[in-house]
Amino acid sequence: MESKAPWGFEKKLEIFSDAFGFKDLPKDARRELSVSADSRYYKKSAVIFGPEEPCRYFYLVADGLVRVSITSTAGNRLTYLLAVRGEPLNLVGPFTGEARLMAAETLKETTLLLIDREAFTHFAFQHPRLITAIISKLGESLDSANSRILDMQEKNVDQRLGRILFTLYKKFGTTLKFTSTELAELAGTTTESSIRALSKLRQMGVIETGRRNITIVRPEAIEQSEGNAIWI
Amino acid sequence: MESKAPWGFEKKLEIFSDAFGFKDLPKDARRELSVSADSRYYKKSAVIFGPEEPCRYFYLVADGLVRVSITSTAGNRLTYLLAVRGEPLNLVGPFTGEARLMAAETLKETTLLLIDREAFTHFAFQHPRLITAIISKLGESLDSANSRILDMQEKNVDQRLGRILFTLYKKFGTTLKFTSTELAELAGTTTESSIRALSKLRQMGVIETGRRNITIVRPEAIEQSEGNAIWI
DNA sequence: CGAAAGATTGATTGCTCTCAACTTTAGTGG
DNA sequence: CCACTAAAGTTGAGAGCAATCAATCTTTCG
């Protein structure tokens, strides 16, 4: 586990050298960013930003796990992104400054790198590659969201949950530390339905389950043949 | 109806002076674009680009109506954007050049302005305002898509169709020239269910219906109180 | 006038949400 | 260290919505 102390220049540089959109930038540019970025420690279940909240910083996960989600007026939460080391939380906010629907909170102890939004956009405009990476990532997210809409329409809960598990498997490996409720918020269903779907997969020997713990035993059984990938 | 002849400089400039993301650019910049843009005429129901097709141009609607949609392997189509004069069809493609899931086809006779993708991105990188507009628009689309996922989960067909009708009303006015199938593809349901929902609204005196024709009589009856807007 | 597109209605089925009750596990304060 | 409590997991029963299948009718257009 990383310490709560502020991160030094070298450690910050290491993140940027390894992170989405930044790794391909010239070293000088990454140094520049490392200087202007502050690290901030969050304990588990801490709120990073809420919906309707104007954007002040660009956030990059340095260590830990962050859930980015939107919540409907009816109270249903849709998890949109589970961000790990090297992933940004808000690609749009820095450019507009405006509030969106999204909220971000930590699912583990987490350290973020923060860059003042104006400083970030000023930097980005000088680096077309970064802009391209941002737009490309937004495009992927859009494709992913649209695929999820189609899934809601034509796939049943079992299939949606299978897709979610496979996506998580690719991102986190065979051991998934999530509750049934968290999976439900990814699959767009209820906790009960997600438990029932997990139950079937357990009986088929595809997964093993424990409290806050799912092990993928036979990933090939839930592999998605179709294109339409989902990113989480 | 616009002619099939190529558009002259002045008419192209007029579009850019009136279009999303471009209207705030300096006049010289808009002139420059008008020179590099070609106009192209499409008849009704023509395919502009298909899925899995690499991107060669940036497209802007000069006149007409274009549907941008994705189709699942099961054959269900989800309409993602109904683009009218001044709206772009593909904000991401020009930057990545890669194929996405989307397809675009005309719903009316349509004229598009095409800009070679490299020329467009080169131009965009020189105009931060345009970049900001693009990223902002992608953010809105993402919020819209996520709202639609939540709607699929917690709203019934009647409510979803009401929201679609109200959104179309704001964009096109009281007279909507769409089939029940097209509405179904917007609301994420089947043609039959969309007809049944329309039927209820007709009986309540909210709309009047005809072949390929819906008139919104009492828009306030379907006005959405909640935030979570949808853009189409 | 024939054919295709669009609109409509009915009947049936099944999925999944909801509500409810209960068990198990982990964590915490006395 | 134990009792208590909250979180998480589990299962069952019931109800309702909407997809599906099927049949029919109307309108438009070549």
Side-chain angles (χ1 to χ4, degrees):
Chain A
M1 181 56 56
E2 299 291 342
S3 92
K4 308 179 183 184
W7 285 30
F9 174 82
E10 287 300 336
K11 277 180 78 176
K12 290 189 280 187
L13 181 58
E14 202 179 304
I15 294 291
F16 283 113
S17 303
D18 202 27
F20 151 86
F22 300 101
K23 58 164 71 112
D24 300 324
L25 298 178
K27 189 155 190 180
D28 280 351
R30 280 178 276 132
R31 285 179 194 281
E32 185 188 334
L33 273 178
S34 304
V35 171
S36 49
D38 286 327
S39 76
R40 189 179 290 181
Y41 170 86
Y42 295 82
K43 60 186 176 191
K44 185 175 173 178
S45 298
V47 173
I48 299 164
F49 57 82
E52 316 288 315
E53 192 175 302
C55 176
R56 293 186 53 196
Y57 304 102
F58 168 77
Y59 298 93
L60 187 70
V61 177
D63 184 71
L65 181 62
V66 176
R67 169 177 63 206
V68 182
S69 60
I70 69 175
T71 301
S72 71
T73 49
N76 287 313
R77 177 158 53 201
L78 176 77
T79 298
Y80 158 75
L81 170 70
L82 292 170
V84 298
R85 175 191 156 96
E87 289 189 297
L89 300 186
N90 57 344
L91 294 175
V92 177
F95 290 90
T96 65
E98 283 168 26
R100 307 257 313 282
L101 301 174
M102 276 141 188
E105 66 185 297
T106 59
L107 293 184
K108 281 186 189 175
E109 280 189 278
T110 296
T111 301
L112 300 181
L113 299 187
L114 281 68
I115 301 176
D116 202 65
R117 88 169 184 87
E118 266 108 2
F120 176 74
T121 54
H122 183 259
F123 176 88
F125 286 136
Q126 292 175 315
H127 297 278
R129 273 191 173 177
L130 178 55
I131 294 288
T132 300
I134 288 171
I135 291 175
S136 171
K137 184 88 164 183
L138 289 172
E140 278 183 9
S141 303
L142 213 37
D143 283 347
S144 173
N146 282 327
S147 295
R148 282 170 89 169
I149 296 174
L150 277 174
D151 275 10
M152 293 293 288
Q153 190 181 342
E154 63 187 23
K155 301 277 204 298
N156 63 28
V157 168
D158 293 355
Q159 293 169 305
R160 297 208 302 272
L161 200 96
R163 167 172 286 200
I164 291 299
L165 286 177
F166 190 70
T167 305
L168 292 174
Y169 160 73
K170 281 186 294 181
K171 181 158 186 167
F172 297 100
T174 51
T175 302
L176 305 176
K177 301 284 187 187
F178 298 100
T179 66
S180 305
T181 302
E182 286 164 347
L183 294 178
E185 288 168 355
L186 284 161
T189 183
T190 60
T191 304
E192 293 94 328
S193 292
S194 122
I195 286 175
R196 280 183 242 263
L198 288 174
S199 204
K200 290 183 200 169
L201 290 172
R202 191 188 331 113
Q203 280 164 26
M204 294 192 299
V206 177
I207 62 172
E208 286 167 3
T209 62
R211 191 185 177 82
R212 255 184 193 288
N213 194 332
I214 294 165
T215 307
I216 311 287
V217 181
R218 296 199 290 114
E220 69 280 4
I222 49 175
E223 185 162 8
Q224 307 293 319
S225 50
E226 312 174 24
N228 295 11
I230 283 185
W231 290 268
I232 292 174
Chain B
M1 183 56 55
E2 298 293 341
S3 92
K4 307 180 183 184
W7 284 31
F9 174 82
E10 287 299 336
K11 276 180 82 176
K12 290 189 281 185
L13 181 58
E14 203 179 304
I15 294 291
F16 284 113
S17 302
D18 202 28
F20 151 86
F22 300 101
K23 58 162 72 112
D24 300 325
L25 298 178
K27 188 155 193 182
D28 281 351
R30 281 178 275 133
R31 284 180 195 280
E32 185 188 334
L33 274 178
S34 303
V35 171
S36 49
D38 285 327
S39 76
R40 189 179 290 182
Y41 170 86
Y42 296 81
K43 60 186 175 189
K44 185 175 174 179
S45 299
V47 173
I48 299 164
F49 57 83
E52 315 288 316
E53 191 175 306
C55 176
R56 294 186 52 195
Y57 304 102
F58 168 77
Y59 298 93
L60 187 70
V61 177
D63 184 71
L65 181 61
V66 176
R67 169 177 63 205
V68 183
S69 61
I70 70 176
T71 301
S72 70
T73 50
N76 287 313
R77 176 158 55 199
L78 177 77
T79 298
Y80 158 76
L81 171 69
L82 291 171
V84 297
R85 175 192 157 96
E87 290 190 295
L89 300 186
N90 58 343
L91 294 174
V92 177
F95 291 89
T96 65
E98 284 168 24
R100 306 258 312 283
L101 301 175
M102 276 139 188
E105 65 185 297
T106 58
L107 293 184
K108 283 185 188 176
E109 280 190 279
T110 296
T111 302
L112 300 181
L113 299 187
L114 280 67
I115 302 176
D116 202 65
R117 87 168 185 87
E118 266 109 2
F120 177 74
T121 55
H122 183 260
F123 176 87
F125 286 136
Q126 292 175 315
H127 297 278
R129 272 191 172 177
L130 178 55
I131 294 288
T132 299
I134 288 171
I135 291 175
S136 171
K137 184 88 164 182
L138 288 171
E140 277 183 10
S141 302
L142 212 36
D143 282 347
S144 173
N146 283 328
S147 296
R148 280 170 90 168
I149 296 174
L150 279 173
D151 274 10
M152 292 293 289
Q153 190 180 343
E154 64 187 24
K155 300 278 204 298
N156 63 27
V157 168
D158 292 356
Q159 293 169 306
R160 297 208 302 273
L161 199 95
R163 169 173 287 201
I164 291 300
L165 286 177
F166 190 69
T167 305
L168 293 175
Y169 161 73
K170 282 185 295 182
K171 182 159 185 166
F172 297 100
T174 50
T175 303
L176 306 177
K177 300 284 185 187
F178 298 101
T179 66
S180 304
T181 302
E182 286 164 346
L183 293 178
E185 288 167 355
L186 284 161
T189 182
T190 61
T191 304
E192 292 95 328
S193 292
S194 121
I195 285 176
R196 280 184 241 264
L198 288 174
S199 205
K200 289 184 201 170
L201 290 172
R202 191 188 331 113
Q203 280 163 26
M204 294 191 298
V206 178
I207 63 173
E208 286 166 6
T209 63
R211 192 184 177 83
R212 255 186 194 285
N213 193 330
I214 293 164
T215 306
I216 311 287
V217 181
R218 294 199 292 112
E220 68 280 4
I222 49 175
E223 185 163 7
Q224 306 292 319
S225 49
E226 310 174 25
N228 293 12
I230 283 185
W231 289 268
I232 292 174

